[in-house]
Each structure stands twice: as structure tokens, then as C-alpha cells.
Amino acid sequence: MKIIKDIKELREFRKALACSVGFVPTMGALHQGHISLIKKSVKENEKTIVSIFVNPTQFLEGEDFEKYPKRVEADRKICELAGVDVLFMPEISDMYVSIEPTILAPTQKAYILEGLRRPKHFDGVLRVVLKLLNLTKPTNAYFGKKDAQQLYLIENLVKSLFLDTNIIPCEIVRDEMGLALSSRNTYLSESEKKEALKISKSLKIASKEIIKGNKSVKHLKGIMKEVLEPLKIEYIEIVNREFEAIDEIELKNSIILVACMVGSTRLIDNLWI
Ligand code: PAF
């Protein structure tokens, strides 16, 4: 596996490739969720590039940019074992120039849910994803469904800017207890981890209700709230796959999304119905 830090070197490497290229963008602290994306890419493409870049522009003032977990050596080993061809780890100063074009995520979809609590977060995500896609020019790029709104906005970015990349949505990976894997889970104490299980439990209970035929969004949100309390709920929302509000679950076209604070850690999870 090649480690590339230099942008020029990455571009030369990419230019020389005349085969399918898979790309998995990450912010490091890799876990089984990332590994499943990487393995899928390795299986489906002749070459796989993984990036590790903790992108400052997607963090808001007071968020965890400074303390975001860093495990470079462990991440390197994970990538090597998974069959990655290039691990791209650029410097912040190389990724951003002093005068940058403004890239704004569409307000009607980027300032709801996550974007309502984290304004401008998706502007930063789309900006870095566009840069990374331009550098790696992948045939296929892999994103987890856990960041459902991010995935939607990236699909929209690629479609609207006619980028030549297929966005491949990947399933959420959970631990044996049901907690959706996230690099931020490393912030949780043992007791907080137990508390955090209420999140996946609330989604499971909602899915059981839907199987019983209870599709009212109001009803589902009510029972989820009961399961989640006393966690500090940031939102429980049920939308269609265009991220529009709905009153009734539309099978194969709905997403139930939850964001909660567990101690001082903000966790999100969702279920695609
Ligand atoms: O999902 C993430 O880890 C990040 O938002 C991404 C896509 C790597 C962009 O920084």
C-alpha cells in the first residue's frame, strides 16, 4: 500500500490508472463501519483509494475538531490488511487555498435536521467531498447510510454537477448490542454506551410498530420518545427519501432519523424503511 500525502503525487498516480477506482473518504479512527466500506470498494474495483482527512470546514465553532480521535498507525494497518492501494492523507494547508470559491449546500435540504443544529456543516462537507472526488476521480465512491442526510446531499452534488462517479450507499454497521458504529463512540464511558443503546432500541421498536401496520409518523415519534427518555433528544424525524416531511410511513421510501446527546457526545442513527 502506498501512502500519499502530496496532492501532486496523488494526481499523477490517478492519471496513470486506466482501471476502475473505488474511493472511501474518511476522517480516520477507522472502525468496522469504515472497514465494510473499504472491503466493498476493494471487491468492486481494481484499485481502492482511502482518504483520511479531518476536515476543519465541516466542524462548527466549539465542536470536537481539536479532539477528533486520531489513530494513524492503527488506521494504516487496517487499510493495508483490507487491500487498499493508496492511503491519501493530505495536509489542511494543501487542501485549502487562501481564496476559495464558496460552495453552499442547498438550504432547503441542508438546513434541516443535522443542518439545523449544525448550520454550515454540510457546506463544509460538500466542499471537501467535491475536492476529494476531483482529486481521486473515482468510478465508485462509498458512503455510509448512517450519515443519511450527508449521503443524500452528496448524491445531489454529484448529480447536479454531472460528476462522473457512482455514489454507493453502504449499510449501517452496529456492534453486537445494536449501537451504530461511529468514531465518536470512543468518547462514551461504559455507562454512556449502555444509555446510547436506547437509540437503536427506539428504531427497532418503531420498525416493529410499522410491521404491525402502525404507520402514523406522530404515533411512531411518540413511542420512540418514550424509549429514548431521559436522553436529551435533539430530534426524532421521519421523512421520505427526498428528505421531505411525511405524515405516514411510505414503505421503501422513508427514513427514521434520531439525534441524541449521550452525556456530552452527540450521536445520530437512522433506519431506512
Ligand atoms: O463522513 C465523513 O467521515 C466525512 O463527513 C467525510 C465524508 C469524510 C467528509 O469529510
Side-chain angles (χ1 to χ4, degrees):
M1 183 179 77
K2 234 172 141 61
I3 296 186
I4 299 184
K5 295 193 172 170
D6 182 62
I7 288 186
K8 189 162 166 261
E9 190 184 345
L10 181 79
R11 298 182 92 171
E12 275 161 15
F13 175 88
R14 178 63 189 96
K15 224 180 259 170
L17 294 179
C19 60
S20 59
V21 174
F23 175 51
V24 184
T26 81
M27 298 205 297
L30 303 180
H31 50 66
Q32 286 300 331
H34 297 112
I35 295 172
S36 74
L37 268 58
I38 295 171
K39 284 193 171 155
K40 195 164 161 61
S41 173
V42 169
K43 196 167 157 205
E44 295 177 355
N45 302 276
E46 281 155 88
K47 297 279 179 198
T48 288
I49 304 174
V50 172
S51 65
I52 295 181
F53 181 64
V54 184
N55 172 40
T57 67
Q58 70 189 76
F59 289 81
L60 270 64
E61 191 92 13
E63 287 190 342
D64 55 345
F65 173 65
E66 300 293 344
K67 70 163 192 171
Y68 199 82
K70 284 182 191 59
R71 290 201 298 258
V72 178
E73 188 43 33
D75 290 350
R76 189 193 62 73
K77 277 198 191 127
I78 287 173
C79 288
E80 190 144 40
L81 285 173
V84 169
D85 298 281
V86 169
L87 178 57
F88 176 49
M89 298 197 292
E91 295 293 335
I92 294 175
S93 55
D94 291 335
M95 284 296 280
Y96 291 103
V97 294
S98 56
I99 300 171
E100 287 267 326
T102 311
I103 293 167
L104 298 176
T107 36
Q108 70 275 36
K109 303 292 164 96
Y111 283 80
I112 55 171
L113 301 161
E114 283 303 286
L116 193 64
R117 278 86 193 167
R118 307 179 72 195
K120 299 198 177 156
H121 164 69
F122 288 119
D123 297 346
V125 170
L126 295 193
R127 187 158 144 196
V128 79
V129 168
L130 183 57
K131 283 173 186 270
L132 290 167
L133 292 179
N134 277 332
L135 287 171
T136 56
K137 295 197 177 13
T139 321
N140 300 303
Y142 296 79
F143 293 88
K145 283 178 159 182
K146 185 163 130 348
D147 293 302
Q149 195 177 0
Q150 165 175 287
L151 173 61
Y152 172 83
L153 290 165
I154 291 169
E155 281 173 335
N156 178 268
L157 174 87
V158 165
K159 194 169 152 204
S160 62
L161 298 182
F162 308 111
L163 301 185
D164 219 359
T165 291
N166 303 310
I167 299 299
I168 314 290
C170 301
E171 294 307 320
I172 297 175
V173 179
R174 300 178 180 281
D175 72 9
E176 61 285 359
M177 301 297 285
L179 180 65
L181 297 189
S182 160
S183 303
R184 290 192 168 99
N185 291 355
T186 56
Y187 302 151
L188 300 172
S189 67
E190 282 311 308
S191 65
E192 286 172 340
K193 262 188 202 154
K194 277 192 197 131
E195 280 291 285
L197 293 178
K198 290 195 167 98
I199 301 174
S200 53
K201 196 171 161 204
S202 73
L203 291 168
K204 216 184 250 171
I205 284 177
S207 103
K208 281 190 183 151
E209 283 294 302
I210 296 164
I211 291 166
K212 280 196 242 158
N214 295 325
K215 293 192 196 146
S216 149
V217 162
K218 193 166 168 222
H219 169 74
L220 294 168
K221 282 164 77 168
I223 57 162
M224 287 177 69
K225 188 164 178 278
E226 277 173 29
V227 177
L228 287 165
E229 274 166 356
L231 288 184
K232 185 167 170 267
I233 302 167
E234 287 209 347
Y235 61 79
I236 306 169
E237 288 299 343
I238 304 181
V239 294
N240 67 19
R241 298 209 187 158
E242 290 295 314
F243 281 82
E244 295 158 339
I246 49 173
D247 295 328
E248 282 253 313
I249 288 283
E250 300 162 16
L251 293 178
K252 294 200 161 78
N253 191 34
S254 306
I255 313 177
I256 308 178
L257 304 116
V258 188
C260 278
M261 291 302 293
V262 180
S264 58
T265 306
R266 188 170 183 281
L267 297 178
I268 60 169
D269 198 354
N270 64 63
L271 186 67
W272 297 53
I273 301 286

